[in-house]
Amino acid sequence: GMVSIPVMLFRWKTLIRNKYLWAVVAFFVWIAASCVFGFFRGNSVSVMIHDLGGLAYFAFLPIVISLLHSKQRLHLVMKCIVWGSFVLSLVALAHLILYLYAPDVSGFLINHGFELYFSRIGAITSSLPRLYFISGLYMVGGCCFSFYFFAHHQGEKIRWFYFVVPGLCVFASMITYTRSVYLALLVAALIVIVTLLLTKNRQIIK
């Protein structure tokens, strides 16, 4: 973030003309007003701070606008997210298998910081584990971007990769048993379907 400040200053005219940035500013003004109202109504300050932490990612929007100003750069970040979500889903799958069939190995990894850096695991029942990780929502982007590259790449082998990644990511997301992740997957699926339909209609018109 600090490294990108010179770039943001250099492109300040582009930033102030960006409608999405102003929409986020308006959203934060509304959030600030809601926090003040909630404080005087006696709402828990700790809860409000926790909720604000979940919105901190919006602060990176000026950086994203400043750095991702070309299609090539945007595609590079999208591919990094796809590959990162692919690796994360494989780690989650391996963690699940080790937990179910090699508990000694799973326990060793957990005791040596595996849960801290990758995924945590808990038992809903004795035979039904739940995996959850901080980067769980990251895989939603991996699903969406995979479908994009699947539709635009011509190579058969790489197309198969972009076809497999969403399946792995969805499976890894499902075993989190987290409603917010399920909702994010549903919204992402709707966005992908609408985008594909609009793209198909444009191609037919052309």
Side-chain angles (χ1 to χ4, degrees):
M2 296 297 293
V3 177
S4 62
I5 289 179
V7 180
M8 293 170 56
L9 295 176
F10 181 75
R11 300 179 60 85
W12 67 272
K13 291 184 179 180
T14 303
L15 288 175
I16 63 175
R17 290 197 300 265
N18 191 283
K19 59 183 179 181
Y20 299 108
L21 181 60
W22 284 108
V24 172
V25 171
F27 174 71
F28 272 109
V29 171
W30 178 72
I31 291 295
S34 300
C35 289
V36 173
F37 180 76
F39 175 78
F40 286 106
R41 289 290 300 270
N43 292 345
S44 172
V45 175
S46 60
V47 172
M48 288 191 291
I49 293 175
H50 181 270
D51 291 341
L52 288 174
L55 303 174
Y57 291 107
F58 283 108
F60 291 98
L61 183 61
I63 299 174
V64 173
I65 295 173
S66 299
L67 297 179
L68 303 182
H69 53 78
S70 67
K71 186 176 181 179
Q72 290 74 19
R73 289 192 177 187
L74 181 60
H75 279 188
L76 177 61
V77 173
M78 290 168 64
K79 288 181 180 179
C80 288
I81 292 176
V82 170
W83 281 96
S85 60
F86 173 66
V87 173
L88 187 61
S89 62
L90 289 180
V91 170
L93 181 60
H95 195 178
L96 176 65
I97 293 173
L98 290 175
Y99 179 83
L100 292 175
Y101 301 105
D104 293 338
V105 178
S106 176
F108 174 81
L109 294 174
I110 291 173
N111 292 332
H112 288 78
F114 184 85
E115 287 194 340
L116 178 63
Y117 297 106
F118 290 100
S119 58
R120 298 178 182 178
I121 198 163
I124 298 178
T125 66
S126 58
S127 59
L128 183 62
R130 173 197 181 194
L131 271 76
Y132 52 100
F133 29 82
I134 298 175
S135 301
L137 291 175
Y138 181 83
M139 291 192 293
V140 177
C143 290
C144 295
F145 299 153
S146 294
F147 282 116
Y148 171 84
F149 289 122
F150 178 79
H152 289 82
H153 272 279
Q154 301 300 324
E156 195 66 27
K157 291 182 179 180
I158 194 66
R159 278 171 60 88
W160 271 109
F161 170 75
Y162 289 125
F163 183 77
V164 170
V165 169
L168 289 173
C169 290
V170 169
F171 176 78
S173 299
M174 294 302 291
I175 59 178
T176 64
Y177 297 97
T178 304
R179 287 173 294 180
S180 60
V181 175
Y182 291 172
L183 178 61
L185 284 173
L186 176 61
V187 173
L190 292 175
I191 292 174
V192 168
I193 292 172
V194 171
T195 302
L196 291 176
L197 290 175
L198 291 176
T199 303
K200 182 178 180 180
N201 290 336
R202 289 177 182 176
Q203 291 175 346
I204 292 175
I205 293 174
K206 289 180 180 180

Short mmCIF file of all heavy atoms in Angstrom, two decimals, residues 58-88:
data_model
loop_
_atom_site.label_atom_id
_atom_site.label_comp_id
_atom_site.label_asym_id
_atom_site.label_seq_id
_atom_site.Cartn_x
_atom_site.Cartn_y
_atom_site.Cartn_z
N PHE A 58 -12.16 -2.31 1.10
CA PHE A 58 -12.54 -1.23 0.20
C PHE A 58 -11.50 -0.11 0.17
O PHE A 58 -11.45 0.66 -0.79
CB PHE A 58 -13.89 -0.65 0.63
CG PHE A 58 -15.07 -1.49 0.25
CD1 PHE A 58 -15.77 -2.19 1.21
CD2 PHE A 58 -15.47 -1.61 -1.07
CE1 PHE A 58 -16.86 -2.98 0.87
CE2 PHE A 58 -16.55 -2.39 -1.43
CZ PHE A 58 -17.25 -3.08 -0.45
N ALA A 59 -10.68 -0.03 1.22
CA ALA A 59 -9.65 1.00 1.26
C ALA A 59 -8.58 0.78 0.18
O ALA A 59 -7.83 1.71 -0.15
CB ALA A 59 -9.00 1.03 2.64
N PHE A 60 -8.52 -0.43 -0.36
CA PHE A 60 -7.53 -0.73 -1.39
C PHE A 60 -8.03 -0.36 -2.79
O PHE A 60 -7.27 -0.51 -3.76
CB PHE A 60 -7.18 -2.22 -1.37
CG PHE A 60 -6.40 -2.64 -0.16
CD1 PHE A 60 -7.04 -3.24 0.92
CD2 PHE A 60 -5.03 -2.42 -0.09
CE1 PHE A 60 -6.32 -3.63 2.04
CE2 PHE A 60 -4.31 -2.81 1.03
CZ PHE A 60 -4.95 -3.40 2.10
N LEU A 61 -9.25 0.12 -2.91
CA LEU A 61 -9.79 0.45 -4.23
C LEU A 61 -8.96 1.51 -4.95
O LEU A 61 -8.69 1.34 -6.15
CB LEU A 61 -11.25 0.90 -4.11
CG LEU A 61 -11.94 1.21 -5.44
CD1 LEU A 61 -11.96 -0.03 -6.32
CD2 LEU A 61 -13.36 1.72 -5.20
N PRO A 62 -8.54 2.61 -4.30
CA PRO A 62 -7.68 3.57 -5.02
C PRO A 62 -6.39 2.94 -5.54
O PRO A 62 -5.92 3.29 -6.63
CB PRO A 62 -7.39 4.64 -3.95
CG PRO A 62 -8.50 4.54 -2.98
CD PRO A 62 -8.86 3.09 -2.94
N ILE A 63 -5.83 2.01 -4.78
CA ILE A 63 -4.62 1.33 -5.22
C ILE A 63 -4.90 0.48 -6.44
O ILE A 63 -4.13 0.47 -7.41
CB ILE A 63 -4.05 0.46 -4.08
CG1 ILE A 63 -3.68 1.33 -2.87
CG2 ILE A 63 -2.84 -0.34 -4.55
CD1 ILE A 63 -3.24 0.54 -1.66
N VAL A 64 -6.03 -0.24 -6.40
CA VAL A 64 -6.40 -1.10 -7.54
C VAL A 64 -6.61 -0.27 -8.79
O VAL A 64 -6.12 -0.61 -9.88
CB VAL A 64 -7.68 -1.88 -7.20
CG1 VAL A 64 -8.19 -2.64 -8.43
CG2 VAL A 64 -7.43 -2.85 -6.06
N ILE A 65 -7.31 0.86 -8.65
CA ILE A 65 -7.57 1.72 -9.81
C ILE A 65 -6.26 2.28 -10.36
O ILE A 65 -6.08 2.40 -11.58
CB ILE A 65 -8.52 2.86 -9.42
CG1 ILE A 65 -9.89 2.28 -9.03
CG2 ILE A 65 -8.68 3.85 -10.56
CD1 ILE A 65 -10.85 3.30 -8.48
N SER A 66 -5.34 2.61 -9.48
CA SER A 66 -4.07 3.22 -9.91
C SER A 66 -3.16 2.22 -10.60
O SER A 66 -2.46 2.57 -11.56
CB SER A 66 -3.34 3.83 -8.70
OG SER A 66 -4.12 4.84 -8.09
N LEU A 67 -3.13 1.00 -10.11
CA LEU A 67 -2.19 0.00 -10.62
C LEU A 67 -2.74 -0.81 -11.77
O LEU A 67 -2.02 -1.15 -12.71
CB LEU A 67 -1.75 -0.93 -9.49
CG LEU A 67 -0.99 -0.28 -8.34
CD1 LEU A 67 -0.63 -1.32 -7.28
CD2 LEU A 67 0.27 0.41 -8.84
N LEU A 68 -4.03 -1.14 -11.71
CA LEU A 68 -4.61 -2.01 -12.75
C LEU A 68 -5.30 -1.15 -13.80
O LEU A 68 -6.53 -1.18 -13.96
CB LEU A 68 -5.60 -2.99 -12.11
CG LEU A 68 -5.04 -3.88 -11.02
CD1 LEU A 68 -6.10 -4.84 -10.51
CD2 LEU A 68 -3.82 -4.63 -11.51
N HIS A 69 -4.52 -0.38 -14.53
CA HIS A 69 -5.09 0.53 -15.52
C HIS A 69 -4.97 -0.02 -16.94
O HIS A 69 -5.20 0.71 -17.91
CB HIS A 69 -4.40 1.89 -15.44
CG HIS A 69 -2.90 1.82 -15.52
ND1 HIS A 69 -2.24 1.64 -16.71
CD2 HIS A 69 -1.95 1.88 -14.55
CE1 HIS A 69 -0.94 1.60 -16.49
NE2 HIS A 69 -0.73 1.74 -15.19
N SER A 70 -4.59 -1.28 -17.08
CA SER A 70 -4.52 -1.89 -18.41
C SER A 70 -5.07 -3.31 -18.34
O SER A 70 -5.10 -3.94 -17.27
CB SER A 70 -3.08 -1.92 -18.92
OG SER A 70 -2.27 -2.80 -18.15
N LYS A 71 -5.50 -3.82 -19.48
CA LYS A 71 -6.06 -5.15 -19.55
C LYS A 71 -5.03 -6.21 -19.19
O LYS A 71 -5.35 -7.21 -18.55
CB LYS A 71 -6.60 -5.40 -20.96
CG LYS A 71 -7.35 -6.70 -21.13
CD LYS A 71 -7.93 -6.82 -22.52
CE LYS A 71 -8.72 -8.11 -22.69
NZ LYS A 71 -9.31 -8.21 -24.06
N GLN A 72 -3.78 -5.99 -19.59
CA GLN A 72 -2.72 -6.95 -19.32
C GLN A 72 -2.47 -7.08 -17.82
O GLN A 72 -2.32 -8.19 -17.30
CB GLN A 72 -1.42 -6.53 -20.04
CG GLN A 72 -1.45 -6.66 -21.55
CD GLN A 72 -2.28 -5.57 -22.22
OE1 GLN A 72 -2.56 -4.52 -21.61
NE2 GLN A 72 -2.67 -5.80 -23.46
N ARG A 73 -2.42 -5.96 -17.14
CA ARG A 73 -2.20 -6.01 -15.68
C ARG A 73 -3.38 -6.66 -14.98
O ARG A 73 -3.20 -7.44 -14.03
CB ARG A 73 -1.98 -4.60 -15.14
CG ARG A 73 -0.65 -3.98 -15.53
CD ARG A 73 -0.39 -2.74 -14.73
NE ARG A 73 0.92 -2.15 -15.03
CZ ARG A 73 1.44 -1.13 -14.38
NH1 ARG A 73 0.77 -0.58 -13.39
NH2 ARG A 73 2.63 -0.66 -14.71
N LEU A 74 -4.57 -6.34 -15.42
CA LEU A 74 -5.76 -6.93 -14.80
C LEU A 74 -5.78 -8.44 -15.00
O LEU A 74 -6.07 -9.20 -14.07
CB LEU A 74 -7.02 -6.31 -15.40
CG LEU A 74 -8.36 -6.80 -14.83
CD1 LEU A 74 -8.43 -6.53 -13.33
CD2 LEU A 74 -9.52 -6.13 -15.55
N HIS A 75 -5.44 -8.89 -16.20
CA HIS A 75 -5.39 -10.33 -16.47
C HIS A 75 -4.33 -11.03 -15.63
O HIS A 75 -4.53 -12.17 -15.19
CB HIS A 75 -5.13 -10.58 -17.96
CG HIS A 75 -6.36 -10.46 -18.80
ND1 HIS A 75 -6.39 -10.80 -20.13
CD2 HIS A 75 -7.61 -10.04 -18.49
CE1 HIS A 75 -7.60 -10.61 -20.60
NE2 HIS A 75 -8.36 -10.13 -19.63
N LEU A 76 -3.21 -10.36 -15.41
CA LEU A 76 -2.16 -10.94 -14.59
C LEU A 76 -2.65 -11.18 -13.16
O LEU A 76 -2.43 -12.25 -12.59
CB LEU A 76 -0.93 -10.03 -14.58
CG LEU A 76 0.24 -10.49 -13.70
CD1 LEU A 76 0.77 -11.84 -14.16
CD2 LEU A 76 1.35 -9.44 -13.69
N VAL A 77 -3.32 -10.19 -12.60
CA VAL A 77 -3.85 -10.34 -11.23
C VAL A 77 -4.93 -11.42 -11.20
O VAL A 77 -4.98 -12.23 -10.27
CB VAL A 77 -4.42 -8.99 -10.73
CG1 VAL A 77 -5.13 -9.17 -9.40
CG2 VAL A 77 -3.30 -7.97 -10.59
N MET A 78 -5.78 -11.45 -12.21
CA MET A 78 -6.82 -12.47 -12.27
C MET A 78 -6.23 -13.87 -12.32
O MET A 78 -6.71 -14.80 -11.64
CB MET A 78 -7.72 -12.22 -13.48
CG MET A 78 -8.60 -10.99 -13.36
SD MET A 78 -9.39 -10.52 -14.92
CE MET A 78 -10.45 -11.92 -15.22
N LYS A 79 -5.16 -14.05 -13.11
CA LYS A 79 -4.52 -15.36 -13.19
C LYS A 79 -3.85 -15.74 -11.87
O LYS A 79 -3.87 -16.92 -11.47
CB LYS A 79 -3.50 -15.36 -14.33
CG LYS A 79 -4.13 -15.36 -15.71
CD LYS A 79 -3.09 -15.38 -16.81
CE LYS A 79 -3.76 -15.38 -18.18
NZ LYS A 79 -2.77 -15.37 -19.28
N CYS A 80 -3.27 -14.76 -11.19
CA CYS A 80 -2.67 -15.04 -9.88
C CYS A 80 -3.73 -15.50 -8.89
O CYS A 80 -3.50 -16.41 -8.09
CB CYS A 80 -1.96 -13.78 -9.36
SG CYS A 80 -0.44 -13.36 -10.22
N ILE A 81 -4.90 -14.88 -8.94
CA ILE A 81 -6.00 -15.28 -8.06
C ILE A 81 -6.48 -16.69 -8.40
O ILE A 81 -6.76 -17.50 -7.50
CB ILE A 81 -7.16 -14.27 -8.14
CG1 ILE A 81 -6.72 -12.92 -7.55
CG2 ILE A 81 -8.40 -14.78 -7.42
CD1 ILE A 81 -7.75 -11.82 -7.68
N VAL A 82 -6.56 -16.99 -9.69
CA VAL A 82 -6.98 -18.34 -10.10
C VAL A 82 -6.00 -19.39 -9.59
O VAL A 82 -6.40 -20.40 -8.99
CB VAL A 82 -7.10 -18.42 -11.64
CG1 VAL A 82 -7.29 -19.87 -12.08
CG2 VAL A 82 -8.27 -17.58 -12.12
N TRP A 83 -4.70 -19.16 -9.82
CA TRP A 83 -3.70 -20.13 -9.37
C TRP A 83 -3.65 -20.21 -7.85
O TRP A 83 -3.48 -21.29 -7.28
CB TRP A 83 -2.34 -19.77 -9.95
CG TRP A 83 -2.17 -20.21 -11.37
CD1 TRP A 83 -2.36 -19.46 -12.49
CD2 TRP A 83 -1.82 -21.52 -11.82
NE1 TRP A 83 -2.14 -20.21 -13.63
CE2 TRP A 83 -1.80 -21.47 -13.25
CE3 TRP A 83 -1.51 -22.72 -11.19
CZ2 TRP A 83 -1.48 -22.59 -14.03
CZ3 TRP A 83 -1.19 -23.82 -11.98
CH2 TRP A 83 -1.18 -23.76 -13.36
N GLY A 84 -3.78 -19.07 -7.19
CA GLY A 84 -3.78 -19.08 -5.73
C GLY A 84 -4.96 -19.83 -5.16
O GLY A 84 -4.81 -20.60 -4.20
N SER A 85 -6.15 -19.63 -5.74
CA SER A 85 -7.33 -20.35 -5.27
C SER A 85 -7.22 -21.84 -5.57
O SER A 85 -7.70 -22.68 -4.80
CB SER A 85 -8.59 -19.76 -5.92
OG SER A 85 -8.52 -19.87 -7.33
N PHE A 86 -6.58 -22.18 -6.69
CA PHE A 86 -6.35 -23.59 -7.04
C PHE A 86 -5.48 -24.26 -5.99
O PHE A 86 -5.80 -25.36 -5.49
CB PHE A 86 -5.70 -23.67 -8.42
CG PHE A 86 -5.26 -25.05 -8.81
CD1 PHE A 86 -6.19 -26.06 -9.03
CD2 PHE A 86 -3.92 -25.34 -8.97
CE1 PHE A 86 -5.78 -27.32 -9.40
CE2 PHE A 86 -3.50 -26.60 -9.35
CZ PHE A 86 -4.43 -27.60 -9.57
N VAL A 87 -4.37 -23.63 -5.62
CA VAL A 87 -3.48 -24.18 -4.60
C VAL A 87 -4.19 -24.27 -3.26
O VAL A 87 -4.08 -25.27 -2.54
CB VAL A 87 -2.20 -23.33 -4.49
CG1 VAL A 87 -1.34 -23.79 -3.32
CG2 VAL A 87 -1.40 -23.41 -5.78
N LEU A 88 -4.93 -23.22 -2.91
CA LEU A 88 -5.63 -23.20 -1.62
C LEU A 88 -6.67 -24.31 -1.54
O LEU A 88 -6.83 -24.95 -0.50
CB LEU A 88 -6.29 -21.84 -1.42
CG LEU A 88 -6.93 -21.59 -0.05
CD1 LEU A 88 -5.89 -21.68 1.06
CD2 LEU A 88 -7.60 -20.22 -0.03
#
